[in-house]
């Protein structure tokens, strides 16, 4: 972000958090948090291979690959 | 032909009065003519569309057509479609040709529908005006100086301008219903879990839901018949018996109990919108429905709750865009960390960055309880309000949006004002309920107004029935913008 962007972002984020602060007026003691729209448990499936190897296809859209590997800048000296 | 329903198009195709190739070409030509002005499509690929059209024609000739076989459908650019550029409205995916199909795309392919192209949208579906798209704003076909709404603004504008018979959208906080309202078309967000999210680029996973956008409720029902269904690749996809969403369309509305939330008709609602919605409610009474005031006391908190939860989930979902496996990578960087930073700084637009910052902040140590957990608790209160309300009524009705389409640039510098334009739609996503918008008249400057219909869980068929009966009695849904 540039200096100018930082200033604009600061004031916009302050406005958004002023809106978010409205939540603090609500007494939520004893209320169970709701993380999902449906109260269903996660399905389990057999631990078997369901995907086929499509490495070439998937790597065809990668920015940089070599010998079947994704290339990133050197991490370890 | 351009005003035909999906039922009429399907019949014409099966009767061999028109071929899918001819129909697809008709719409492709229309897109060529109108898209420079409206910018509703990011990608059109006539060759790929026409291959599908020829396959559909062969299927029709073999007597194996189903309801949507051969009909061109515009797809929101959030759905991965194999071989199609899939940008999600972002520079980050400007070069991403999807290697696989989203479940919804696969369902349309199996039905023999033709992919007509990928529609413009707010970047990563974050916006209410389609102005955050990296590919430029979409213009509202009713007034080109105004926004179409968002985030499914390209789909809404394309249907309104008759650039496609129907389209798909996604709705995280109102992104199907609000643009449908602002463009004068019909749109439905199903119950959370009805349509698979597999291959639908994730924004806020606990809220995102795909749905149809079309000219009428009857068309929405046909679209939903194709889109809905269990998919084991989405862990939140619901295992339910297959439904025919057209089954109740013809039922009379006698005895239908409509609840009007008093909070939806309070301060902040435009006078012209209120008048159109009240006239629609009067029409429902004529059709045999009864009306009662209800209350959703916590709904006023839906916007602040949403702007904690959705950015929190987005900040996690968008961390996958790192410039390593697909999409944009910055051309210059010094080391790995710098590559991530440069890629994200250059690849994401301002609104996306803003939401990532909000999301990481509300999830950070020391703020988690005050923001994220508090928002999740109020989310439950909001959902309980609806449970309580549905003891007194069958459907809830009110405005979709507090105003008609606003001017391009009008709210661009003020995110809070932009966020508040979704005040009547967000609570529905938080609760996971189905909601829809149907055209119900015109406000100031001859701009369309949308009536929102909210149903109980899995009550889509009843909502479509209510909308269809209204559309038999009125003609707002068949009005198209002049000069298009």
């Amino acid at each position: 972000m540039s200096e100018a962007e930082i200033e604009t972002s600061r004031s916009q984020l302050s406005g958004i958090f002023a809106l978010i602060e409205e939540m603090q007026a609500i007494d939520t003691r004893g209320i169970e948090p709701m993380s999902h729209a449906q109260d269903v448990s996660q399905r389990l499936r057999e631990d078997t291979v369901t995907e086929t190897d499509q490495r070439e296809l998937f790597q065809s859209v990668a920015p940089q690959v070599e010998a079947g590997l994704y290339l990133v800048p050197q991490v370890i000296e | 032909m351009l005003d035909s329903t999906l039922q009429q198009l399907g019949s014409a195709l099966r009767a061999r009065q028109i071929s899918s190739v001819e129909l697809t070409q008709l719409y492709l030509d229309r897109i060529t003519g109108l898209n420079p002005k409206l910018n509703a499509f990011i990608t059109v690929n006539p060759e790929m569309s026409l291959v599908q059209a020829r396959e559909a024609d062969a299927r029709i000739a073999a007597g194996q057509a189903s309801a949507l076989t051969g009909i061109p459908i515009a797809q929101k650019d959030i759905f991965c479609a194999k071989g199609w550029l899939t940008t999600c409205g972002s520079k980050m995916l400007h070069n991403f040709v999807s290697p696989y199909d989203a479940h919804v795309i696969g369902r349309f392919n199996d039905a023999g529908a033709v992919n007509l192209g990928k529609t413009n949208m707010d970047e990563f579906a974050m916006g209410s005006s389609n102005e955050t798209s990296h590919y430029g704003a979409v213009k509202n076909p009713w007034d080109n100086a105004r926004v179409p709404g968002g985030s499914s603004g390209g789909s809404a504008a394309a249907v309104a301008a008759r650039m496609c018979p129907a389209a798909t959208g996604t709705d995280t906080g109102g992104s199907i219903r609000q643009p449908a309202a602002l463009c004068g078309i019909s749109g439905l967000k199903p119950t959370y879990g009805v349509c698979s999210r597999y291959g639908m680029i994730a924004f806020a996973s606990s809220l995102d839901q795909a749905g149809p956008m079309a000219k009428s409720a009857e068309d929405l029902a046909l679209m939903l018949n194709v889109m809905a269904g269990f998919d084991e690749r989405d862990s939140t996809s619901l295992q339910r018996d297959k439904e025919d969403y057209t089954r109740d369309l013809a039922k009379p509305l006698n005895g239908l109990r409509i609840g009007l939330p008093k909070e939806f008709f309070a301060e902040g609602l435009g006078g012209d919108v209120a008048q159109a919605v009240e006239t629609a409610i009067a029409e429902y009474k004529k059709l045999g429905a009864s009306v009662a005031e209800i209350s959703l006391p916590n709904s006023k908190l839906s916007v602040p709750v949403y702007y904690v939860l959705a950015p929190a989930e987005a900040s996690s979902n968008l961390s996958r865009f790192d410039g390593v496996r697909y999409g944009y990578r910055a051309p210059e960087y010094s080391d790995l960390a710098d590559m991530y930073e440069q890629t994200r700084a250059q690849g994401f637009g301002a609104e996306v960055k803003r939401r990532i910052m909000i999301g990481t902040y509300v999830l950070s140590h020391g703020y988690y309880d005050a923001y994220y957990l508090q928002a999740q608790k109020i989310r439950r209160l909001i959902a309980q309000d609806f449970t309580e309300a549905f003891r007194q009524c069958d459907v809830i009705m009110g405005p979709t949006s507090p105003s008609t389409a606003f001017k391009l640039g009008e709210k661009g510098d003020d995110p809070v004002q932009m966020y508040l334009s979704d005040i009547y739609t967000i609570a529905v996503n938080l609760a996971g309920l189905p909601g829809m918008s149907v055209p119900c008249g015109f406000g100031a400057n001859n701009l369309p107004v949308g009536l929102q219909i909210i149903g109980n869980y899995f009550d889509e068929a009843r909502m479509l029935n209510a909308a269809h009966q209204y559309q038999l009695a009125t003609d707002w849904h068949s009005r198209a913008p002049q000069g298009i």
Side-chain angles (χ1 to χ4, degrees):
Chain A
M1 274 197 189
S2 66
E3 285 301 317
E5 274 182 302
I6 289 172
E7 210 28 68
T8 317
S9 293
R10 197 197 310 276
S11 82
Q12 286 172 337
L13 288 171
S14 299
I16 294 163
F17 275 93
L19 178 75
I20 289 173
E21 286 303 323
E22 289 175 21
M23 292 194 319
Q24 307 307 338
I26 303 296
D27 182 357
T28 53
R29 275 174 299 184
I31 306 291
E32 191 68 19
M34 177 176 169
S35 57
H36 237 276
Q38 304 283 350
D39 278 327
V40 288
S41 53
Q42 291 281 303
R43 283 189 308 278
L44 297 175
R45 65 168 176 85
E46 292 298 310
D47 186 16
T48 52
V49 176
T50 55
E51 294 292 323
T52 51
D53 180 5
Q54 300 184 67
R55 184 164 71 179
E56 272 180 43
L57 176 63
F58 293 157
Q59 293 199 331
S60 69
V61 293
Q64 247 188 316
V65 286
E66 196 177 292
L69 302 170
Y70 293 98
L71 286 194
V72 295
Q74 191 172 353
V75 182
I76 302 163
E77 293 295 325
Chain B
M1 185 62 73
L2 293 171
D3 288 323
S4 303
T5 66
L6 295 183
Q7 165 75 36
Q8 288 165 340
L9 290 178
S11 299
L13 284 162
R14 290 188 293 276
R16 318 293 290 276
Q17 289 159 349
I18 189 168
S19 71
S20 176
V21 168
E22 289 165 336
L23 187 64
T24 302
Q25 192 61 55
L26 175 81
Y27 280 104
L28 287 170
D29 290 345
R30 200 159 162 81
I31 294 167
T32 305
L34 288 173
N35 207 46
K37 188 160 84 174
L38 297 176
N39 200 27
F41 284 80
I42 293 175
T43 301
V44 196
N45 189 329
E47 274 177 42
M48 287 183 70
S49 297
L50 290 168
V51 164
Q52 279 191 306
R54 279 190 285 274
E55 287 168 4
D57 281 331
R59 187 165 158 176
I60 293 165
Q64 291 164 349
S66 57
L68 298 190
T69 305
I71 298 180
I73 304 290
Q75 302 289 352
K76 185 176 181 180
D77 207 20
I78 199 167
F79 292 101
C80 288
K82 190 170 185 174
W84 285 81
L85 184 66
T86 299
T87 72
C88 215
S90 182
K91 182 180 178 183
M92 189 61 94
L93 291 174
H94 75 106
N95 58 356
F96 178 67
V97 176
S98 176
Y100 73 109
D101 282 324
H103 184 253
V104 164
I105 297 286
R107 300 279 300 200
F108 278 110
N109 291 343
D110 292 347
V114 173
N115 184 344
L116 186 61
K118 307 294 291 292
T119 57
N120 205 342
M121 54 181 286
D122 279 297
E123 185 178 7
F124 287 106
M126 297 178 190
S128 310
S129 70
N130 220 117
E131 293 170 293
T132 73
S133 169
H134 175 65
Y135 305 91
V138 176
K139 313 292 173 14
N140 190 314
W142 293 89
D143 178 348
N144 294 170
R146 292 176 189 271
V147 304
S151 67
S152 311
S155 290
V159 172
R162 309 296 190 251
M163 295 158 88
C164 62
T168 55
T170 59
D171 191 315
T172 305
S175 282
I176 287 174
R177 290 160 288 156
Q178 185 253 18
L182 270 45
C183 287
I185 66 156
S186 303
L188 170 72
K189 181 204 93 76
T191 306
Y192 182 86
V194 163
C195 295
S196 167
R197 293 180 298 106
Y198 178 80
M200 194 176 105
I201 296 168
F203 161 16
S205 307
S206 82
L207 304 164
D208 297 341
Q209 182 60 205
M213 304 176 80
K215 297 190 289 289
S216 67
E218 186 189 3
D219 286 0
L220 293 179
L222 288 170
M223 289 277 286
L224 191 57
N225 275 351
V226 170
M227 296 174 74
F230 172 66
D231 174 20
E232 64 183 11
R233 297 168 301 182
D234 171 2
S235 66
T236 59
S237 174
L238 296 168
Q239 265 174 307
R240 308 185 73 248
D241 291 339
K242 185 151 180 57
E243 280 190 54
D244 175 8
Y245 292 99
T246 65
R247 67 181 187 270
D248 291 337
L249 289 177
K251 277 191 180 173
L253 296 187
N254 288 329
L256 181 77
R257 297 173 304 159
I258 299 174
L260 303 178
K262 62 181 182 192
E263 293 82 5
F264 283 23
F265 294 88
E267 199 193 331
L269 177 62
D272 54 345
V273 176
Q275 194 173 11
V277 170
E278 279 158 18
T279 306
I281 302 299
E283 184 65 40
Y284 271 100
K285 284 186 190 165
K286 273 199 253 170
L287 291 168
S290 65
V291 172
E293 186 183 273
I294 58 161
S295 178
L296 301 169
N298 293 294
S299 63
K300 61 181 184 298
L301 287 162
S302 59
V303 177
V305 166
Y306 178 86
Y307 280 97
V308 170
L309 298 180
E313 295 185 25
S315 69
S316 169
N317 274 325
L318 268 59
S319 64
R320 75 192 59 182
F321 300 104
D322 55 7
V324 174
R325 290 155 302 153
Y326 44 77
Y328 180 76
R329 177 188 286 198
E332 288 173 32
Y333 40 83
S334 54
D335 55 23
L336 184 64
D338 191 48
M339 188 197 84
Y340 292 150
E341 284 174 19
Q342 296 294 338
T343 295
R344 288 167 177 160
Q346 295 163 27
F348 290 137
E351 181 63 27
V352 173
K353 287 179 189 167
R354 190 148 53 227
R355 298 207 194 180
I356 291 171
M357 284 188 279
I358 297 168
T360 46
Y361 182 75
V362 299
L363 289 174
S364 59
H365 184 69
Y367 296 101
Y368 183 89
D369 287 6
Y371 291 121
Y372 187 66
L373 218 53
Q374 174 75 348
Q376 285 193 321
K377 289 175 179 176
I378 301 175
R379 180 179 184 181
R380 185 169 300 281
L381 295 176
I382 290 168
Q384 285 171 350
D385 283 354
F386 281 108
T387 307
E388 193 58 41
F390 280 119
R391 293 203 176 99
Q392 304 159 56
C393 60
D394 303 313
V395 290
I396 293 170
M397 291 191 189
T400 304
S401 175
S403 73
T404 55
F406 45 92
K407 290 215 163 102
L408 286 155
E410 189 180 320
K411 298 184 182 184
D413 298 331
D414 190 346
V416 170
Q417 282 311 306
M418 188 72 86
Y419 297 172
L420 288 171
S421 65
D422 291 332
I423 183 128
Y424 305 131
T425 49
I426 283 176
V428 173
N429 299 78
L430 292 169
L433 291 164
M436 66 189 295
S437 181
V438 291
C440 71
F442 292 86
N445 303 310
N446 202 33
L447 293 164
V449 176
L451 170 74
Q452 186 175 205
I453 305 173
I454 302 166
N456 210 337
Y457 297 103
F458 310 111
D459 237 356
E460 287 85 356
R462 193 205 297 258
M463 296 156 61
L464 288 161
N465 164 232
H468 179 64
Q469 290 300 313
Y470 175 73
Q471 292 182 335
L472 288 177
T474 60
D475 71 345
W476 303 117
H477 66 290
S478 58
R479 308 280 184 97
Q482 292 291 310
I484 289 286

